[in-house]
Amino acid sequence: MEAIYQYAWLVPVLPLVGAMLVGLGLISFNQVTNRARQLNAVFVVSLLGAAMFLSVALLVSQFQGHAPYIRTLEWAAAGNFHLTMGYTIDHLTALMLVIVTTVAFLVMVYTDGYMAHDPGYVRFYAYLSLFSSSMLGLVVSPNIVQIYIFWELVGMCSYLLVGFWYDRQAAADACQKAFVTNRVGDFGLLLGILGLYWATGSFEFEAIGDRLQILVETGSLSSLLAGLFAILVFLGPVAKSAQFPLHVWLPDAMEGPTPISALIHAATMVAAGVFLIARMYPVFEGIPAAMNVIAFTGAFTAFLGATIAITQNDIKKGLAYSTISQLGYMVMAMGVGAYSAGLFHLMTHAYFKAMLFLGSGSVIHGMEGVVGHDPALAQDMRMMGGLRKFMPITAITFLIGTLAISGIPPFAGFWSKDEILGSAFAANPLLWFVGWATAGITAFYMFRMYFSTFEGKFRGHQAEIRQKLKSAAANTLMSPSPLAPNFGPGAMDTRELAALSDDSHGHGHNEHPHESPWTMTLPLIALAIPSILIGLVGTPYANYFEEFIYPPSETLAEVMEKVAEFDQTEFFIMAGSSVGISLIGITLASLMYLFGRIDPAAIASSIKPLYELSLNKWYFDDIYHRFFVLGSRRLARQVMEVDYRVVDGAVNLTGFFTLISGEGLKYLENGRAQFYALIVFGAVLGLVIVFGVT
């Protein structure tokens, strides 16, 4: 078994090798590599599959009680400064490796069907493999410097994948928005890392936590400064995991192909933020102020994402705001000290959210055969309806994911979400109430999405709806709001505008949507199994997950003692309340979107200010555009004026004086010795007169 740990470094290296070889093939032998597209795909998927099997073996070994394994080598040294690089395998690492590799493997299989006709098929596989390698490298990192290196690589890969269709203006703008927004958080993370090293002299996670606590207790470091360092580190997860106020990039990241939407939102980029909080838990745990900031940030983000998702008509953007909300749950759990509950929800969410995103891609794939490749039509739920009869596998798996995320027992999301709510109630009833209300909103918008997409009559042939959606998209392009940011799905280039105005361009050719090929439906079925069953490893009756994953500050005996203190009455009260609010949300969604007993338009008009607030995403994009985009432009113009008038003016003035003085001095240099002697005599006479008078 020890040999597995000695070769654990292959887990991130195998997909990296695939990305490098395919990338070199595209650079050196582009046409040949693109012709062998299936061979390249099999090669990349096989390497990731090998990494997946190795990850599962490591998880089994850790579950059987193998001690954590760390292997490092000295990377840089200068005096007393030593920086090591390597890899570590512990319970948290083993769990994350399995989550990332399994979801990435299924996404890659799915990609073969979804991207079958895309000319960038091979390039997309190379990007996916590099993305997976970067995340796996981040997971096995033994210190915060190595995490930061892979952290930036993950951000670079997301830039490449979100902007994969770079010839579309919307995709180009979305990847730039994601990149810039994440740089804000990453700068805070870098400052926090430097501050912690200045205070503790270490980059190792537990050493930082222990030394920081001693420094604060002895008064060598103020608690205010320690809290500042911790919050700066937290800024990294705020951006990566799309927490308020840096959440605005994630919905626009839907401009990338759906497989990468699933991978980003389920197991890689956004999971990296929660993973970093877990890794840095020894630091955060000893600073109550930082824990409160984390908890309330997560709670507000959960509520924010859910309230915006209510009014989304784009199926992918609705799921994107759902991801923001669910990540808020995980961050809130970390903030209230529910370490294992937050990671438990990270695991269950990775599987059912990946299935939901891949299900939305299957729906879009089927709709494009009817309405064409216009995202304004193929992704809008108002054009759907009744797809269950045409796409039964997609419908059933999407329903399973909807039940899981809504917290309905015995699906996976119920157990993890209920554990978070129970921990939040014990820590702060206000946080519990926000999470409880968010659970009801989540059930409402998810079943709104399911009913609008899969139930009722198919609306894809209704010319009135189609024309209305195309006109709305065209109006957005021709006369954007003065405050509307120039990015996101509304910002298209002239070719997309032509597609909207020309019915013959990109129009579908099928009468009805069709079920997706087996390469797309098989991953959906595979993900449906853990979405139903994986929550059973963390039930209060037999919480194997908490026995395996627990905070570094606790011992297994303490964990077992807490597990043994399970109060069945309290569990039924808390679980009943969360299931009850979810059932209320499902009932309301059924009355509005399934049975038609309640008119959604009437409800929207009766609460128009709240409806407008949700529809306009709480106006965050508009506010950011006004203060940051337009503000930066005004500042740039002012700086340009200073540069032109002051900096350039000073340089030009110096040149002018040099020119004038040179012109004047050239008349004094005539080469006649008598003239020079006269000048010297005059100067001496002047000095004599001046000093003689004084």
Side-chain angles (χ1 to χ4, degrees):
M1 189 63 74
E2 189 69 24
I4 298 176
Y5 290 88
Q6 293 176 359
Y7 291 100
W9 55 272
L10 287 171
V11 175
V13 168
L14 285 172
L16 177 62
V17 169
M20 288 177 60
L21 292 179
V22 174
L24 288 173
L26 287 171
I27 294 171
S28 305
F29 311 100
N30 186 273
Q31 293 184 358
V32 176
T33 304
N34 278 307
R35 285 197 202 101
R37 47 196 288 144
Q38 294 286 344
L39 183 63
N40 281 285
V42 170
F43 174 66
V44 169
V45 174
S46 298
L47 288 176
L48 187 62
M52 179 180 67
F53 282 114
L54 184 55
S55 300
V56 172
L58 290 169
L59 179 64
V60 171
S61 175
Q62 286 291 302
F63 188 76
Q64 292 175 346
H66 193 287
Y69 181 90
I70 184 169
R71 188 172 183 178
T72 59
L73 54 88
E74 190 170 80
W75 189 54
N80 294 326
F81 174 80
H82 295 275
L83 181 60
T84 60
M85 292 292 174
Y87 63 93
T88 181
I89 305 295
D90 57 12
H91 291 185
L92 177 59
T93 299
L95 175 70
M96 289 297 299
L97 288 178
V98 170
I99 293 173
V100 174
T101 52
T102 52
V103 174
F105 179 80
L106 292 171
V107 167
M108 284 192 178
V109 173
Y110 177 95
T111 298
D112 178 66
Y114 191 86
M115 302 289 288
H117 303 291
D118 195 288
Y121 177 95
V122 178
R123 178 168 60 94
F124 190 71
Y125 266 105
Y127 288 171
L128 280 180
S129 191
L130 181 60
F131 195 17
S132 302
S133 174
S134 300
M135 183 62 191
L136 293 170
L138 187 153
V139 167
V140 301
S141 297
N143 58 60
I144 197 167
V145 172
Q146 190 172 330
I147 275 189
Y148 188 79
I149 293 171
F150 284 103
W151 187 272
E152 295 301 325
L153 282 173
V154 169
M156 182 201 71
C157 293
S158 71
Y159 174 83
L160 295 174
L161 285 162
V162 172
F164 181 76
W165 289 319
Y166 54 85
D167 55 340
R168 291 175 52 191
Q169 187 62 41
D173 290 336
C175 69
Q176 292 178 46
K177 183 180 181 182
F179 191 81
V180 171
T181 305
N182 275 276
R183 295 293 71 72
V184 175
D186 293 355
F187 182 63
L189 173 60
L190 179 60
L191 292 178
I193 292 171
L194 295 176
L196 289 174
Y197 180 77
W198 169 79
T200 64
S202 176
F203 292 118
E204 310 298 322
F205 306 111
E206 292 196 16
I208 294 174
D210 294 339
R211 294 178 188 178
L212 196 66
Q213 188 173 359
I214 293 172
L215 289 171
V216 173
E217 289 175 353
T218 59
S220 302
L221 184 71
S222 69
S223 57
L224 182 64
L225 198 56
L228 175 62
F229 293 156
I231 292 171
L232 285 172
V233 170
F234 177 58
L235 278 179
V238 164
K240 216 62 139 191
S241 290
Q243 299 295 287
F244 168 82
L246 300 178
H247 64 283
V248 292
W249 68 270
L250 194 58
D252 289 334
M254 295 300 95
E255 288 298 326
T258 302
I260 192 53
S261 300
L263 198 55
I264 285 179
H265 287 243
T268 52
M269 185 167 177
V270 296
V274 180
F275 171 78
L276 181 60
I277 298 175
R279 266 286 179 241
M280 296 294 291
Y281 200 76
V283 174
F284 295 123
E285 190 178 24
I287 306 173
M291 293 290 280
N292 286 331
V293 170
I294 294 171
F296 280 96
T297 299
F300 180 75
T301 304
F303 181 74
L304 172 70
T307 54
I308 297 176
I310 290 176
T311 57
Q312 296 301 307
N313 293 310
D314 185 305
I315 188 170
K316 286 178 66 177
K317 295 199 75 172
L319 290 173
Y321 281 107
S322 171
T323 299
I324 292 173
S325 181
Q326 297 303 306
L327 288 168
Y329 270 110
M330 301 172 207
V331 172
M332 179 179 71
M334 292 291 179
V336 299
Y339 177 90
S340 58
L343 290 173
F344 188 28
H345 196 56
L346 172 64
M347 179 182 69
T348 60
H349 176 264
Y351 291 109
F352 63 69
K353 183 52 66 69
M355 182 176 62
L356 287 169
F357 265 110
L358 296 183
S360 71
S362 180
V363 168
I364 295 167
H365 183 268
M367 286 294 296
E368 285 178 342
V370 179
V371 301
H373 294 275
D374 182 1
L377 302 178
Q379 296 178 197
D380 199 300
M381 292 183 289
R382 290 169 290 185
M383 289 294 296
M384 301 174 189
L387 297 186
R388 179 168 52 85
K389 66 182 74 171
F390 308 114
M391 311 177 70
I393 298 176
T394 302
I396 292 171
T397 54
F398 200 94
L399 178 61
I400 291 171
T402 301
L403 289 166
I405 196 173
S406 299
I408 303 300
F411 296 92
F414 164 74
W415 303 105
S416 56
K417 188 181 291 186
D418 184 73
E419 190 173 347
I420 291 175
L421 291 176
S423 302
F425 185 82
N428 189 324
L430 176 61
L431 294 174
W432 168 82
F433 178 77
V434 174
W436 176 77
T438 301
I441 300 172
T442 301
F444 172 78
Y445 71 69
M446 284 306 304
F447 271 89
R448 168 185 179 265
M449 191 177 296
Y450 175 78
F451 293 143
S452 299
T453 303
F454 295 101
E455 301 297 336
K457 295 181 179 180
F458 181 60
R459 299 180 292 273
H461 298 304
Q462 296 185 18
E464 182 181 353
I465 298 176
R466 179 179 300 197
Q467 191 59 40
K468 181 179 179 181
L469 295 179
K470 293 172 73 173
S471 299
N475 289 336
T476 302
L477 291 169
M478 297 300 295
S479 56
S481 166
L483 295 182
N486 188 27
F487 41 63
M492 304 186 208
D493 59 19
T494 54
R495 285 166 291 180
E496 293 172 287
L497 180 58
L500 290 172
S501 59
D502 183 5
D503 289 340
S504 64
H505 181 79
H507 198 280
H509 51 79
N510 294 331
E511 182 69 17
H512 297 291
H514 55 83
E515 185 60 274
S516 299
W518 70 268
T519 52
M520 296 174 66
T521 54
L522 186 61
L524 292 175
I525 297 170
L527 287 167
I529 297 172
S531 298
I532 299 172
L533 300 177
I534 202 169
L536 299 178
V537 303
T539 67
Y541 300 97
N543 200 332
Y544 302 108
F545 187 88
E546 191 162 359
E547 293 174 19
F548 182 66
I549 298 290
Y550 49 86
S553 57
E554 294 184 8
T555 63
L556 182 58
E558 293 172 336
V559 173
M560 295 299 293
E561 184 179 348
K562 287 196 305 182
V563 172
E565 294 175 355
F566 165 59
D567 187 341
Q568 185 167 315
T569 304
E570 181 183 351
F571 167 71
F572 279 114
I573 293 173
M574 297 300 297
S577 64
S578 63
V579 173
I581 191 66
S582 296
L583 291 176
I584 292 173
I586 295 171
T587 302
L588 186 58
S590 303
L591 293 174
M592 294 175 70
Y593 299 99
L594 182 61
F595 301 113
R597 300 293 178 84
I598 301 176
D599 183 11
I603 299 293
S605 61
S606 64
I607 53 171
K608 191 171 183 179
L610 294 177
Y611 173 76
E612 293 288 341
L613 181 68
S614 172
L615 187 63
N616 290 284
K617 300 168 286 188
W618 287 44
Y619 299 100
F620 278 113
D621 278 336
D622 294 347
I623 293 170
Y624 288 0
H625 182 71
R626 168 169 286 182
F627 284 97
F628 295 114
V629 178
L630 298 182
S632 297
R633 291 175 183 172
R634 283 194 292 268
L635 179 62
R637 283 194 291 268
Q638 296 298 324
V639 171
M640 186 176 67
E641 286 294 319
V642 172
D643 179 70
Y644 177 72
R645 298 184 181 279
V646 179
V647 179
D648 285 355
V651 173
N652 293 338
L653 187 62
T654 303
F656 176 75
F657 277 121
T658 303
L659 177 64
I660 296 299
S661 59
E663 286 291 328
L665 288 174
K666 75 178 183 179
Y667 294 105
L668 301 179
E669 298 178 359
N670 53 17
R672 296 173 63 183
Q674 300 92 330
F675 182 72
Y676 295 155
L678 179 63
I679 292 175
V680 171
F681 175 76
V684 171
L685 181 61
L687 289 173
V688 170
I689 295 172
V690 170
F691 287 104
V693 172
T694 55

